[in-house]
Amino acid sequence: MGEAVRLLRAGGVVAVPTETVYGLGADASNPAAVARVFELKGRPADHPLIVHIGEADVISEWARDIPEEAWALARAFWPGPLTIILKRGTAALDVVTGGQDTVGLRVPDHPLTLRLLAELGGGVAAPSANRFGRVSPTRVGHVEAEFGDQLDYILDGGPCSVGLESTIVDLSGFDPRILRPGAVTASDIASVLGTIGSRETSAGETPSPRAPGTLASHYSPETAVRLMVPELIADAVVSAVCEGHTVAVMARRPTAIGECRESCRWVRMPQEPDEYGRALYATLRELDVSECDVILVETVPIDPRWDAARDRITRATAGDLLDDDELGT
């Protein structure tokens, strides 16, 4: 712990555990260190970073014009997987906010990182510890596979307990709005605030600020991925195998591939949304190095409890859809 704090103070980049995913952390007050995070990730400079803080009491050091709703959400869900976007204060650097007039803040729910933040006495700007657009890491081994020895330190906090990035709620405008779904659901937030909107804006309304993880294509493995309804998976596997492809399937039901078993790896995913979210990225990463030609991901239920997982698998497949002819369907 002491070495991680020392390196952060010296301008280093340290991988830190949170309950959501591992973060690529730098002292949020050091512009050169934050710039190195962008360089390591290959992240566009106008994509803001979330500042991780040790307690809600320091919100006013990073933000201004703080509405009562922010304090209410902090009391209800911090430490926890919720990021609040507010008007930026003087401590929030341009390099952190992507040049915007807003800053994203959260208190992570991980004992090691909370200790690190307490000892550091400041904020840590930390996107997920992976190359830009790729699958987020939920274990130390994922971070090591992504960056090798390029990082100054990796703080090992074990597997992430949530496994999907934090919910992002925008409180910088007139009405609260969810920009990215996560483990803290819309109904959870509405139970505190009474109302909550989605990322869409109405005519004449100021657009929401840019937020991490909201590109159409994101969280993607290098292997081609396709999202499929359950009824089509078995036929798609047969057609792909007949064309000489090897296939991996992520589905919440038992295998349905029969004689194609040798050319298809079928992974039974959890039935419950929390467990599914915890397993999603680790499974995608495992299949990505399995030398299969395509990963078929079964759609998940249309249910608010599944919003976060559905958001991630939709974005993971959006940039690498295969034509029906390529799969032989």
Side-chain angles (χ1 to χ4, degrees):
M1 176 65 67
E3 181 67 2
V5 172
R6 184 190 71 78
L7 288 166
L8 285 170
R9 287 176 176 159
V13 174
V14 173
V16 295
T18 76
E19 78 281 24
T20 57
V21 300
Y22 273 77
L24 200 60
D27 181 349
S29 67
N30 185 329
V34 175
R36 187 169 164 226
V37 168
F38 279 87
E39 180 182 358
L40 284 165
K41 276 186 69 76
R43 185 183 182 95
D46 64 350
H47 281 53
L49 305 183
I50 293 169
V51 177
H52 295 69
I53 55 179
E55 57 183 351
D57 289 348
V58 302
I59 289 178
S60 55
E61 297 178 17
W62 296 92
R64 59 181 170 81
D65 302 333
I66 304 165
E68 176 54 36
E69 289 90 341
W71 298 111
L73 289 178
R75 287 192 296 270
F77 301 114
W78 282 0
L82 178 71
T83 295
I84 302 174
I85 293 185
L86 299 164
K87 292 292 185 183
R88 61 184 276 195
T90 55
L93 304 177
D94 274 346
V95 67
V96 171
T97 67
Q100 298 185 112
D101 192 36
T102 56
V103 63
L105 302 171
R106 92 173 183 99
V107 178
D109 189 13
H110 195 288
L112 282 184
T113 300
L114 288 173
R115 278 179 51 202
L116 179 145
L117 288 164
E119 292 185 26
L120 181 67
V124 170
S128 55
N130 53 277
R131 307 291 181 180
F132 182 69
R134 295 303 182 182
V135 182
S136 300
T138 57
R139 301 173 184 174
V140 162
H142 300 163
V143 181
E144 293 171 339
E146 199 83 18
F147 292 104
D149 60 359
Q150 291 182 281
L151 306 185
D152 296 305
Y153 195 85
I154 299 175
L155 187 60
D156 188 350
C160 299
S161 59
V162 173
L164 296 178
E165 297 82 0
S166 61
T167 305
I168 299 179
V169 60
D170 176 22
L171 295 180
S172 67
F174 293 106
D175 297 312
R177 179 174 288 106
I178 291 178
L179 304 186
R180 181 177 72 186
V184 178
T185 66
S187 62
D188 292 334
I189 295 170
S191 71
V192 175
L193 302 186
T195 183
I196 189 69
S198 65
R199 63 170 59 86
E200 292 81 16
T201 56
S202 304
E205 193 176 10
T206 303
S208 298
R210 293 185 303 276
T214 55
L215 295 178
S217 175
H218 216 68
Y219 315 112
S220 302
E222 294 186 10
T223 304
V225 187
R226 188 172 185 183
L227 184 63
M228 300 197 75
V229 296
E231 297 78 14
L232 295 181
I233 290 178
D235 287 344
V237 170
V238 172
S239 297
V241 170
C242 288
E243 293 290 328
H245 297 297
T246 56
V247 184
V249 176
M250 295 169 56
R252 294 177 299 111
R253 56 198 178 92
T255 181
I257 54 177
E259 67 274 10
C260 297
R261 191 177 305 274
E262 290 187 3
S263 297
C264 178
R265 180 175 177 184
W266 189 288
V267 178
R268 181 89 181 268
M269 296 295 288
Q271 294 288 334
E272 293 301 314
D274 290 348
E275 295 178 9
Y276 186 102
R278 194 175 300 121
L280 177 59
Y281 289 152
T283 305
L284 281 173
R285 282 181 166 270
E286 180 182 353
L287 296 179
D288 197 24
V289 297
S290 68
E291 300 184 353
C292 61
D293 297 313
V294 62
I295 303 170
L296 304 181
V297 183
E298 179 189 52
T299 54
V300 297
I302 304 299
D303 180 301
R305 299 179 307 147
W306 287 89
D307 282 353
R310 187 170 57 255
D311 174 81
R312 302 315 190 272
I313 62 176
T314 299
R315 295 179 194 278
T317 59
D320 210 355
L321 296 177
L322 298 184
D323 295 332
D324 288 346
D325 289 344
E326 291 181 271
L327 273 177
T329 58

